[in-house]
Amino acid sequence: MKGIHRGTLWITALVLAALLLAGCERPEIHRERFFAFGTLVELNVYTRDADLAREGADAVRADLARMHRDWHAWKPGPLQEVNQALARGEAIRADPAVLAPILEARALSLRTEGLFNPAMGRLFALWGFQSDQAAGPPPPQEAVEALLARDPDMADLHMENGRLSTENPAVQLDLGAFAKGYGVHRAVDHLRALGIEHAILNAGGDLRAIGRPGDRPWRIGIRDPDGQGVLAGIEIQGDEAVFTSGDYERYFTHEGLRYHHILDPRTGYPARGSRSVTVIHEDAGLADAASTALFIAGPEHWPRIAARLGVDKVLLLDATGVAHMTPAMAQRVAFRKEPAERRIQALPGDPGPAGGP
């Protein structure tokens, strides 16, 4: 009996030791990298549970792959089916996987006065940006003008009895300026549903973060449009998304002129006046669309559009190197490379300070 008793105590001690060791394991950052939405995606999960981190990475990888397939603008899938029906003048009961982002994109487009305009898919294709190949040269001016005359706009989309339709066959949807943000937001929601509380999902420099890695915040860098370096750093506060639109992301040079992929739907040509726009917001989809719309709005008109979107953290670097910021963003950004000038501007209806320091 004594031998059995001692053996039982010994086994119990081992089990308790193992449990104590497991309980004392320090949380660490578990990192996974993969490609989605045409860019390198990095997921960092801060947890002591390696199996949970792996489960989260598998879920995010599958989510983003499915969303990319469903929302692809020029490959077979639910979005292409919608575009084909709209071009034929037919109403379509869209797949729910693509209907939700279309309706949200429509609402955001109206709030940006059409500067964010996913209905301009034919314009993106005309410039060669709807392709896996290099874009360029610029399309003929008459082709651009002919399309603008047909004025495709998200307001042309109608929803009735669960079916999408339009009376403007020039409408062709391309969610490229919104899909990544919308997808990243929902992928992080999936992580939370799995029980992951601290993570950052970075898709080619655009990201959403939740929680924090221990006693310090997540820290991220904003790319310098002039090169591969960092323009500024930001510390994430809680649940936030940070999205940037820049003229360096996709472009081509023709006869000495540089043409980037952020097209102004009013002119049909690349927007001028901005180099990059960074937006911080709790909704990654809105932040993605806002960064595009504010880039197109440019240094003069971005405050009005930001106010319409309810975005109070904006950094716009203009073509002369001047950094335009909201007061809230000025408190958050730490420049690594000093801009030519800092201009802090309150949004319409905001009583905060205006003017530069």
Side-chain angles (χ1 to χ4, degrees), residues 69-278:
R69 181 178 62 251
D70 289 345
W71 307 337
H72 207 291
W74 65 88
K75 291 184 179 179
L79 184 59
Q80 189 182 81
E81 292 172 5
V82 170
N83 280 331
Q84 290 172 345
L86 296 179
R88 293 191 299 265
E90 299 173 359
I92 180 172
R93 191 175 298 278
D95 187 315
V98 74
L99 180 60
I102 288 174
L103 294 180
E104 189 160 333
R106 182 182 184 276
L108 286 172
S109 181
L110 298 178
R111 291 169 66 186
T112 66
E113 301 177 5
L115 296 184
F116 163 63
N117 187 1
M120 280 284 190
R122 294 182 188 275
L123 180 66
F124 307 140
L126 198 60
W127 277 87
F129 292 123
Q130 274 192 357
S131 171
D132 294 325
Q133 308 300 318
Q141 183 176 350
E142 55 270 24
V144 173
E145 292 175 351
L147 180 57
L148 293 186
R150 301 172 72 185
D151 193 25
D153 189 85
M154 292 299 281
D156 296 329
L157 271 182
H158 307 295
M159 182 75 177
E160 187 175 355
N161 298 323
R163 301 173 74 87
L164 277 175
S165 65
T166 183
E167 296 174 358
N168 186 349
V171 168
Q172 185 180 85
L173 300 175
D174 184 327
L175 301 176
F178 168 70
K180 185 166 63 171
Y182 186 91
V184 163
H185 195 90
R186 273 134 195 84
V188 173
D189 282 347
H190 194 169
L191 291 177
R192 276 189 152 160
L194 293 173
I196 293 173
E197 300 177 353
H198 309 280
I200 183 167
L201 180 59
N202 186 328
D206 297 317
L207 58 94
R208 181 186 175 194
I210 55 175
R212 54 195 293 133
D215 58 357
R216 58 187 177 85
W218 297 107
R219 295 185 177 94
I220 61 104
I222 301 172
R223 181 176 170 181
D224 182 354
D226 289 331
Q228 297 296 321
V230 175
L231 172 68
I234 292 175
E235 291 187 350
I236 303 297
Q237 297 179 359
D239 181 350
E240 290 185 323
V242 183
F243 273 70
T244 299
S245 289
D247 64 5
Y248 52 82
E249 295 172 340
R250 192 173 184 192
Y251 64 91
F252 63 87
T253 302
H254 179 70
E255 295 182 349
L257 294 178
R258 192 167 176 270
Y259 298 88
H260 61 77
H261 76 295
I262 306 176
L263 304 178
D264 187 333
R266 300 167 299 184
T267 66
Y269 284 82
R272 302 300 181 193
S274 305
R275 295 297 315 280
S276 70
V277 172
T278 298

Side-chain angles (χ1 to χ4, degrees), residues 14-32:
L14 283 179
V15 171
L16 287 173
L19 290 173
L20 286 171
L21 284 172
C24 292
E25 270 185 38
R26 294 174 60 87
E28 59 181 282
I29 294 177
H30 301 265
R31 182 174 293 108
E32 293 281 347

